[in-house]
Amino acid sequence: MSYQHIQQAAYEANMQLPKLGLVLFTFGNVSVVDRSLNVFAIKPSGVPYGELTPEKMVIVDLDGKTVHGALRPSSDTLTHAVLYKHWTNIGSIVHTHSTYATAWAQTQRDIPVYGTTHADHTTADIPCAAPMNDEMIKGNYEYETGIQIIDCLQQKGLNYEDVEMMLVGNHAPFTWGKTPAKAVYNSAVLENIAQMAFLTEQINPQAQRLKDALVKKHFERKHGPDSYYGQS
Amino acid sequence: MSYQHIQQAAYEANMQLPKLGLVLFTFGNVSVVDRSLNVFAIKPSGVPYGELTPEKMVIVDLDGKTVHGALRPSSDTLTHAVLYKHWTNIGSIVHTHSTYATAWAQTQRDIPVYGTTHADHTTADIPCAAPMNDEMIKGNYEYETGIQIIDCLQQKGLNYEDVEMMLVGNHAPFTWGKTPAKAVYNSAVLENIAQMAFLTEQINPQAQRLKDALVKKHFERKHGPDSYYGQS
Amino acid sequence: MSYQHIQQAAYEANMQLPKLGLVLFTFGNVSVVDRSLNVFAIKPSGVPYGELTPEKMVIVDLDGKTVHGALRPSSDTLTHAVLYKHWTNIGSIVHTHSTYATAWAQTQRDIPVYGTTHADHTTADIPCAAPMNDEMIKGNYEYETGIQIIDCLQQKGLNYEDVEMMLVGNHAPFTWGKTPAKAVYNSAVLENIAQMAFLTEQINPQAQRLKDALVKKHFERKHGPDSYYGQS
Amino acid sequence: MSYQHIQQAAYEANMQLPKLGLVLFTFGNVSVVDRSLNVFAIKPSGVPYGELTPEKMVIVDLDGKTVHGALRPSSDTLTHAVLYKHWTNIGSIVHTHSTYATAWAQTQRDIPVYGTTHADHTTADIPCAAPMNDEMIKGNYEYETGIQIIDCLQQKGLNYEDVEMMLVGNHAPFTWGKTPAKAVYNSAVLENIAQMAFLTEQINPQAQRLKDALVKKHFERKHGPDSYYGQS
């Protein structure tokens, strides 16, 4: 069984995180799934980015069990596994502790949609999942983090294909996408949106959410049947 | 018909945006007009800066119709076209989502003239156009964005030759100039002014606008018949 | 007597500070101790990072007396000496004036534990030692700074092996660790935690400390007998 | 008459400004004086840093008259001339529009001494000169800016040899020193102090000035007969 294709893809995506300024030391990880094999490749735990190689990416099944690789996978592996299992159309997941997105997560607030940069990517406020209860924390913590993410989206009536980024309260952001490039892109966009929303509220504490017509217009410029952004 | 001169100029100006830290991914575009041909060259939509070449710049007429080039032009093309049509003395337009300027746009506030860095470039507060009404948004949105910019300047009694930078409410900045170098320069200056105005209000919420005599003095140092900044 | 091993280690650790963006000019220093020889190697005072070499590292005993080297050691040498003498299990100390951590020190506030990034490293708020009294300042100032750090931890019921980072009120941060790599790592982590805590309070002035179950969980993921972060 | 030595020194000092992140485009200038010749070398006006050469530095006398060089000197030349004429012990002057220092200047507030980083360099709050009156602005503006700086220090009972950095209200910082290296160093230190003072007040609006004993101690560590910082 060869896993080289997802190891290579996961390696390249992980290496984008320091280049985009989204991680300090080892505070982040990217995984890439193969839906036909039902396994994903993920960064080994605590290994510095400078020492990563494609071969070091650990192969894990959708229950979080290592099926290939000498190293221990990321401590967040079970969260990735839960999301892949429930969200069958995603191909990659990114977790970082990027500065502004993490600060928002620490406030337990959703990030309001203040402008078109945000609306170009999702019509919703970026949801922040409430911290889980103590029972869940003491239990299978990383598994429960996945459940917490899934439940939060559901409770807000949102869909993981429309909203590809989220905050876990008091923790940090998770993003995902059909491809590793899209999932990493979403992490950088989220950090940018988080910084601009912070500044917006500092400059004008009475700043209002973007009005509905503009939210809709900008999202449709980039998505859906009548989109006209990018090359078709 | 050869468009190489404006393609080359537009290519070089676009490549300045990431170097100056004004764009994330593809969130920006520069166009350069040829007034004798009545066409402008503009960045293709959604193409990463690393993949741009002069040949990929799309040639568009002042009604926004593509006259040369295989790629789809920037989704903001109609806004550029409207501005070129109405403002006959500008040679280039820049649109970015630079962090601080965009945050101000999201607050729907003009940027007050707090210091000489601002006054060196314009005597007015940097205007922020109010979001357009829902009818216009649902209509020809990018065309209406151009009209919105023109109307905003006019309502404030300002002239596009004196004020070469503006915010579109809830969206992001647009700048322009006689040359591509000047239009790009204005985008970087606006981002700098926006950051310093944010900091000024944080440090002193009672900060006052620069007094008129200083506004006038600094602007005249750089502009007009008695200017003495730079090499003549 | 050869000191090359600690000179080399101190040199390499000092050179990490500008790379990590933790120092301006010469505003920082790292020392590395040899417990069998009871001496440590420390940066010479006021020498630019670009001119450092391993040989220039000064060898000092645990009373702060220079035992080897032509240059004057860091003006903070006595503080390092005191800490090595009292805390027998540390191998390295780092002092910087990194921007966000120093700003917190200037406020004389502890940094509250707002998220898991903080809890991954310590369960306590990052302590800020109160400024010493005037008598101590006029006396052996750098020696007293060491005493002040030790007393502050003790008064808060904390242990230097659990909390490897601290702020000295109105001054700046000190961090330490079993190895130079860990001590430098702690300085970068502290700066990151300090920035995110600042942002957290700006975004939500009512932000709450991380709840106990999460503090405990995250710390235990990285430390103690059941830790599962990194490669064992 | 050869001016190469001060042209070379002014060139090298000017080139430090973009490296230290203190200038955008041409928003800054450094001059270096020769006290035996009573002339100084200064950056030409509006010339991008990338196009500077030692030969392009303009030689000006202490009345601001160009005595050598084909280019027009910086528009701030008369301010430099006034300072050199009155302050006979300085060897170099730096003017920038660095972000945080300029924001403080725009608030017309002195920068309070909040910590030892500040006290290491001066015992005083960094003074901010009030904007000059309209008569002076309409008159010989750059000359009056020099007078304004000198008067401000005098009114506060400060000495240009103790305080080598200042803000001009609504404008931007000026720094100076015995050597070009020291004057440029002071500009970078001022920007750092300005950023940390901003953060300090954001984190704790009730933050107190550093107490006198610490101000005195830290300044004397670096200056005066008993200083023990750096290599003697």
Side-chain angles (χ1 to χ4, degrees):
Chain A
M1 191 74 72
S2 169
Y3 304 113
Q4 282 188 356
H5 59 302
I6 50 175
Q7 284 181 311
Q8 182 67 31
Y11 167 74
E12 289 174 9
N14 271 292
M15 295 308 285
Q16 286 300 308
L17 300 188
K19 277 193 198 154
L20 288 163
L22 299 173
V23 293
L24 175 68
F25 298 121
T26 60
F27 306 175
N29 47 70
V30 186
S31 66
V32 179
V33 76
D34 180 317
R35 290 294 180 182
S36 61
L37 301 176
N38 273 323
V39 298
F40 60 93
I42 191 165
K43 187 174 168 297
S45 184
V47 176
Y49 284 93
E51 299 173 14
L52 286 187
T53 60
E55 299 72 41
K56 288 185 181 165
M57 298 296 129
V58 188
I59 304 298
V60 181
D61 70 20
L62 300 198
D63 294 317
K65 205 162 56 91
T66 297
V67 299
H68 176 81
L71 296 167
R72 189 190 286 182
S74 164
S75 57
D76 298 301
T77 294
L78 265 177
T79 309
H80 291 242
V82 171
L83 297 181
Y84 284 127
K85 205 162 194 177
H86 285 74
W87 295 348
T88 50
N89 285 334
I90 62 173
S92 180
I93 296 168
V94 178
H95 172 51
T96 78
H97 286 220
S98 69
T99 304
Y100 289 91
T102 302
W104 277 92
Q106 292 189 161
T107 69
Q108 298 190 24
R109 290 183 56 202
D110 297 353
I111 304 178
V113 52
Y114 282 130
T116 61
T117 320
H118 182 138
D120 282 339
H121 297 93
T122 176
T123 60
D125 293 354
I126 308 298
C128 182
M132 57 182 86
N133 65 42
D134 290 9
E135 212 51 48
M136 290 159 81
I137 293 168
K138 284 173 200 158
N140 195 342
Y141 176 65
E142 287 77 15
Y143 173 85
E144 299 289 359
T145 300
I147 298 298
Q148 177 194 19
I149 291 171
I150 291 165
D151 285 354
C152 171
L153 270 199
Q154 201 164 29
Q155 283 157 19
K156 291 181 186 267
L158 299 170
N159 187 300
Y160 73 88
E161 296 191 86
D162 294 333
V163 180
E164 297 185 328
M165 46 187 81
M166 236 183 89
L167 307 173
V168 174
N170 289 127
H171 186 169
F174 282 83
T175 67
W176 51 87
K178 286 205 193 316
T179 64
K182 187 67 192 313
V184 168
Y185 168 94
N186 284 336
S187 278
V189 167
L190 172 54
E191 180 66 4
N192 188 234
I193 287 172
Q195 181 179 7
M196 296 199 305
F198 153 69
L199 290 169
T200 299
E201 295 188 350
Q202 296 291 309
I203 295 170
N204 186 357
Q206 270 73 51
Q208 298 295 312
R209 266 187 186 65
L210 192 63
K211 61 183 187 170
D212 286 346
L214 270 172
V215 172
K216 198 163 168 306
K217 179 68 188 180
H218 267 265
F219 192 74
E220 289 174 353
R221 290 207 326 169
K222 281 210 171 180
H223 304 84
D226 299 326
S227 70
Y228 51 98
Y229 182 89
Q231 309 301 324
S232 54
Chain B
M1 191 74 72
S2 169
Y3 304 113
Q4 282 186 357
H5 58 303
I6 50 175
Q7 284 180 313
Q8 182 68 31
Y11 167 74
E12 288 173 10
N14 271 292
M15 295 308 285
Q16 287 299 309
L17 299 188
K19 276 191 200 157
L20 288 163
L22 298 173
V23 293
L24 176 68
F25 297 120
T26 60
F27 305 176
N29 46 71
V30 186
S31 66
V32 179
V33 75
D34 180 318
R35 290 293 180 182
S36 62
L37 299 177
N38 273 323
V39 298
F40 60 93
I42 191 165
K43 187 175 168 298
S45 183
V47 175
Y49 285 92
E51 298 173 15
L52 286 187
T53 60
E55 299 72 42
K56 286 185 181 166
M57 298 295 130
V58 187
I59 304 298
V60 181
D61 69 20
L62 300 197
D63 294 317
K65 205 163 56 89
T66 297
V67 299
H68 177 80
L71 297 168
R72 189 191 284 183
S74 164
S75 58
D76 297 301
T77 293
L78 265 176
T79 308
H80 291 242
V82 170
L83 296 181
Y84 284 126
K85 206 162 193 177
H86 285 75
W87 294 348
T88 50
N89 286 335
I90 62 172
S92 180
I93 296 167
V94 178
H95 172 51
T96 78
H97 286 220
S98 69
T99 303
Y100 289 90
T102 301
W104 276 92
Q106 292 189 162
T107 69
Q108 299 190 24
R109 291 183 56 203
D110 298 352
I111 305 179
V113 53
Y114 282 128
T116 61
T117 321
H118 182 138
D120 282 338
H121 297 93
T122 177
T123 59
D125 293 354
I126 308 297
C128 182
M132 57 182 87
N133 66 42
D134 290 8
E135 212 51 48
M136 289 159 81
I137 293 168
K138 284 174 198 155
N140 195 341
Y141 176 65
E142 288 77 15
Y143 173 84
E144 299 289 0
T145 299
I147 297 298
Q148 178 195 18
I149 290 171
I150 291 166
D151 285 355
C152 171
L153 270 199
Q154 201 166 29
Q155 284 157 19
K156 291 180 186 267
L158 299 170
N159 187 300
Y160 75 88
E161 294 190 88
D162 295 333
V163 181
E164 297 184 329
M165 46 187 80
M166 237 184 86
L167 307 173
V168 174
N170 289 128
H171 186 170
F174 282 82
T175 68
W176 50 87
K178 286 206 193 313
T179 63
K182 185 67 192 311
V184 169
Y185 168 93
N186 284 336
S187 278
V189 167
L190 172 54
E191 179 66 3
N192 188 235
I193 287 172
Q195 182 178 6
M196 296 199 305
F198 153 69
L199 290 169
T200 298
E201 296 188 349
Q202 297 291 310
I203 295 171
N204 185 358
Q206 270 73 50
Q208 299 295 310
R209 265 187 188 64
L210 191 63
K211 62 182 187 170
D212 286 345
L214 269 172
V215 172
K216 198 164 168 305
K217 179 69 188 178
H218 267 265
F219 192 72
E220 289 173 354
R221 291 208 326 170
K222 282 209 171 181
H223 304 84
D226 299 325
S227 70
Y228 51 96
Y229 182 88
Q231 309 301 325
S232 55
Chain C
M1 191 75 71
S2 170
Y3 304 115
Q4 282 188 358
H5 58 303
I6 51 176
Q7 284 181 312
Q8 182 67 32
Y11 167 74
E12 287 174 10
N14 271 291
M15 295 308 285
Q16 286 299 309
L17 300 188
K19 277 192 199 153
L20 288 163
L22 298 173
V23 293
L24 176 68
F25 298 121
T26 59
F27 306 176
N29 46 70
V30 186
S31 66
V32 179
V33 75
D34 180 318
R35 289 293 179 182
S36 60
L37 301 176
N38 273 323
V39 298
F40 59 93
I42 191 165
K43 189 175 166 296
S45 183
V47 176
Y49 285 93
E51 299 173 14
L52 287 187
T53 60
E55 299 73 40
K56 288 186 181 164
M57 297 296 128
V58 187
I59 304 298
V60 181
D61 70 19
L62 300 199
D63 294 318
K65 206 164 54 91
T66 297
V67 298
H68 177 80
L71 297 168
R72 190 189 284 182
S74 164
S75 57
D76 298 301
T77 293
L78 267 177
T79 309
H80 291 243
V82 171
L83 296 182
Y84 284 127
K85 205 161 194 176
H86 285 73
W87 294 348
T88 50
N89 286 334
I90 62 172
S92 180
I93 296 168
V94 178
H95 173 51
T96 78
H97 286 219
S98 69
T99 304
Y100 289 91
T102 301
W104 276 92
Q106 293 189 162
T107 69
Q108 299 190 23
R109 290 183 55 202
D110 298 353
I111 305 179
V113 53
Y114 282 130
T116 61
T117 320
H118 183 138
D120 281 339
H121 297 92
T122 176
T123 59
D125 293 355
I126 308 298
C128 181
M132 57 183 86
N133 65 42
D134 290 9
E135 214 50 50
M136 290 159 80
I137 292 168
K138 285 173 198 157
N140 195 342
Y141 177 64
E142 287 78 15
Y143 173 84
E144 298 289 359
T145 300
I147 298 298
Q148 178 194 18
I149 290 172
I150 290 166
D151 285 355
C152 171
L153 270 199
Q154 200 165 29
Q155 282 158 20
K156 290 179 187 268
L158 298 170
N159 187 299
Y160 74 87
E161 295 190 87
D162 294 333
V163 181
E164 297 184 327
M165 47 186 80
M166 237 185 87
L167 308 174
V168 174
N170 288 128
H171 186 169
F174 282 83
T175 67
W176 50 88
K178 285 205 195 315
T179 64
K182 186 69 192 312
V184 168
Y185 168 94
N186 284 336
S187 278
V189 167
L190 172 55
E191 180 66 2
N192 189 235
I193 287 172
Q195 181 178 8
M196 297 198 306
F198 153 70
L199 291 169
T200 299
E201 295 188 350
Q202 296 291 310
I203 295 170
N204 185 357
Q206 270 73 51
Q208 298 295 310
R209 263 184 188 67
L210 191 63
K211 61 182 185 170
D212 286 347
L214 270 173
V215 172
K216 198 163 168 304
K217 180 69 189 179
H218 267 266
F219 192 73
E220 289 174 355
R221 290 208 327 170
K222 282 208 171 182
H223 305 84
D226 299 326
S227 70
Y228 51 97
Y229 183 87
Q231 308 302 325
S232 53
Chain D
M1 193 73 73
S2 169
Y3 304 115
Q4 282 188 358
H5 59 302
I6 50 175
Q7 285 181 311
Q8 182 67 31
Y11 167 74
E12 287 173 11
N14 271 292
M15 295 308 285
Q16 286 299 310
L17 300 188
K19 275 191 201 156
L20 288 162
L22 299 172
V23 293
L24 176 68
F25 298 120
T26 60
F27 304 176
N29 46 71
V30 186
S31 66
V32 179
V33 75
D34 180 318
R35 290 293 179 183
S36 61
L37 301 176
N38 273 322
V39 298
F40 60 92
I42 191 164
K43 188 174 167 297
S45 183
V47 175
Y49 285 91
E51 298 173 15
L52 286 187
T53 60
E55 298 74 40
K56 287 183 181 166
M57 297 296 128
V58 187
I59 304 298
V60 181
D61 70 20
L62 300 198
D63 294 317
K65 206 164 55 91
T66 296
V67 298
H68 177 81
L71 296 168
R72 188 191 285 183
S74 163
S75 57
D76 298 301
T77 293
L78 265 176
T79 308
H80 292 242
V82 171
L83 296 181
Y84 283 126
K85 206 163 194 174
H86 286 72
W87 295 347
T88 50
N89 285 334
I90 62 172
S92 180
I93 296 167
V94 178
H95 173 50
T96 78
H97 286 220
S98 69
T99 303
Y100 289 90
T102 302
W104 276 93
Q106 293 190 160
T107 68
Q108 300 190 23
R109 291 184 54 204
D110 298 353
I111 304 179
V113 53
Y114 281 129
T116 61
T117 321
H118 182 138
D120 282 338
H121 297 91
T122 177
T123 59
D125 293 355
I126 309 297
C128 182
M132 57 183 86
N133 65 42
D134 290 10
E135 213 51 49
M136 289 159 81
I137 293 168
K138 284 173 198 157
N140 195 342
Y141 176 65
E142 287 78 15
Y143 173 84
E144 299 289 0
T145 299
I147 298 298
Q148 177 194 18
I149 290 171
I150 290 166
D151 285 355
C152 170
L153 270 199
Q154 201 165 28
Q155 284 157 19
K156 290 179 188 268
L158 299 170
N159 187 299
Y160 74 87
E161 295 189 87
D162 294 334
V163 181
E164 297 185 327
M165 47 185 81
M166 237 184 88
L167 308 173
V168 174
N170 288 130
H171 186 169
F174 282 83
T175 67
W176 50 88
K178 286 205 193 315
T179 64
K182 186 68 192 312
V184 168
Y185 168 93
N186 285 335
S187 278
V189 167
L190 173 55
E191 179 66 3
N192 189 234
I193 287 173
Q195 181 177 8
M196 296 198 306
F198 153 70
L199 291 169
T200 299
E201 296 188 350
Q202 297 292 309
I203 295 170
N204 185 358
Q206 270 73 51
Q208 299 295 311
R209 263 184 189 67
L210 191 62
K211 61 182 186 170
D212 287 346
L214 270 171
V215 172
K216 198 162 169 304
K217 179 69 188 178
H218 267 265
F219 191 72
E220 289 173 354
R221 292 208 325 170
K222 281 209 172 182
H223 305 83
D226 299 325
S227 70
Y228 50 97
Y229 182 87
Q231 308 301 325
S232 54

